[in-house]
């Protein structure tokens, strides 16, 4: 079942949820690439304490290029599509994105240390998904971050224009207030 609340984002997104317990609320994004539209999702309940925002791909690439190499993915921050496509797991991202709306790919979890403009970008989870999006010229991509300071840092260095930062907890409560009448009461 799907329903929509309005978030201040100028992109295609929607909510999915189960009309029974557990609700399993998911925020699903449609992301245009040079090949096709691909889908990513954020499990709102699982990521309850995180923040979600949209990054402009070109701004992200510029910011990542001046970031220190994180050591785990040598040279990826200064790489290009040719290098990224050689990643040993790149084909897994290709397979994941090929499943479409029926099985959206989870958002990457990223981190920033330091302050704008001297911050370092690293990946907690999802570097291969991200380089797949970069290599396929996604216009933008959503990410999950651990705290509000990091969210604002990313918003400053690579945020998509006119797109707000949201706490998952806030999204959940706003959605629940609007849609609680659709859900059964949970027995005590």
């Amino acid at each position: 079942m799907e329903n929509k609340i309005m978030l201040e984002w100028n992109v295609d997104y929607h909510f999915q949820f189960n009309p029974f317990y557990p609700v399993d609320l998911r925020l699903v994004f449609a992301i245009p690439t040079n090949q096709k539209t691909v889908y990513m999702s954020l499990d709102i309940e699982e990521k309850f304490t995180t923040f979600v925002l949209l990054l402009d791909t070109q701004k992200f690439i510029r910011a990542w290029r001046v970031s220190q190499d994180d050591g785990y993915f040598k040279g990826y921050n200064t790489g290009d599509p040719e290098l990224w496509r050689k990643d040993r797991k790149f084909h897994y991202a290709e397979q994941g994105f090929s499943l479409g709306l029926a099985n959206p790919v989870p958002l990457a979890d990223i981190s920033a240390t330091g302050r704008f403009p001297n911050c370092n970008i690293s990946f907690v989870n999802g570097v291969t998904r991200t380089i797949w999006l970069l290599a396929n010229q996604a216009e933008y991509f959503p990410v999950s971050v651990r705290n509000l300071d990091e969210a604002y840092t990313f918003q400053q260095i690579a945020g998509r224009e006119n797109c707000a930062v949201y706490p998952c907890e806030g999204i959940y409560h706003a959605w629940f207030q609007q849609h609680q009448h659709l859900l059964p009461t949970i027995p005590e």
Side-chain angles (χ1 to χ4, degrees):
M1 183 171 267
E2 298 179 21
N3 234 336
K4 190 166 187 148
I5 64 172
M6 295 302 295
L7 300 173
E8 292 179 34
W9 288 330
N10 56 0
V11 301
D12 185 10
Y13 69 91
H14 66 273
F15 289 91
Q16 290 180 338
F17 66 96
N18 291 325
F20 49 85
Y21 186 80
V23 175
D24 192 27
L25 181 62
R26 294 182 182 275
L27 181 53
V28 178
F29 296 89
I31 303 164
T33 70
N34 64 351
Q35 294 183 10
K36 61 184 176 186
T37 298
V38 297
Y39 298 90
M40 297 187 86
S41 71
L42 176 67
D43 183 328
I44 298 291
E45 294 164 284
E46 181 183 305
K47 300 287 186 175
F48 196 74
T49 61
T50 66
F51 294 80
V52 62
L53 70 149
L54 302 173
L55 301 182
D56 177 281
T57 300
Q58 293 308 311
K59 288 180 183 178
F60 176 79
I61 289 172
R62 284 191 296 274
W64 199 23
R65 288 199 189 293
V66 297
S67 176
Q68 290 181 2
D69 195 326
D70 75 359
Y72 294 108
F73 303 99
K74 207 89 173 123
Y76 279 26
N77 62 320
T78 57
D80 59 20
E82 185 178 339
L83 172 70
W84 298 328
R85 289 179 191 283
K86 291 177 184 174
D87 179 86
R88 66 181 177 82
K89 296 192 312 183
F90 194 86
H91 68 284
Y92 292 130
E94 186 81 44
Q95 290 171 348
F97 281 114
S98 74
L99 299 175
L101 188 55
N103 192 6
V105 173
L107 269 58
D109 299 317
I110 63 175
S111 180
T113 56
R115 286 270 181 216
F116 176 77
N118 301 316
C119 63
N120 291 311
I121 297 170
S122 60
F123 288 83
V124 177
N125 187 349
V127 70
T128 307
R129 285 166 257 169
T130 303
I131 62 172
W132 188 94
L133 291 165
L134 302 180
N136 288 286
Q137 300 171 4
E139 184 181 322
Y140 65 88
F141 59 100
V143 294
S144 170
V145 298
R146 294 177 292 197
N147 61 57
L148 189 57
D149 284 343
E150 287 183 348
Y152 283 142
T153 297
F154 278 112
Q155 185 69 10
Q156 285 182 303
I157 64 172
R160 183 170 167 89
E161 293 293 322
N162 302 314
C163 291
V165 170
Y166 287 99
C168 288
E169 179 180 6
I171 292 172
Y172 180 84
H173 290 302
W175 180 88
F176 190 79
Q177 279 186 328
Q178 288 184 358
H179 300 96
Q180 64 186 349
H181 65 282
L182 299 174
L183 304 173
T185 55
I186 301 169
E188 294 188 32

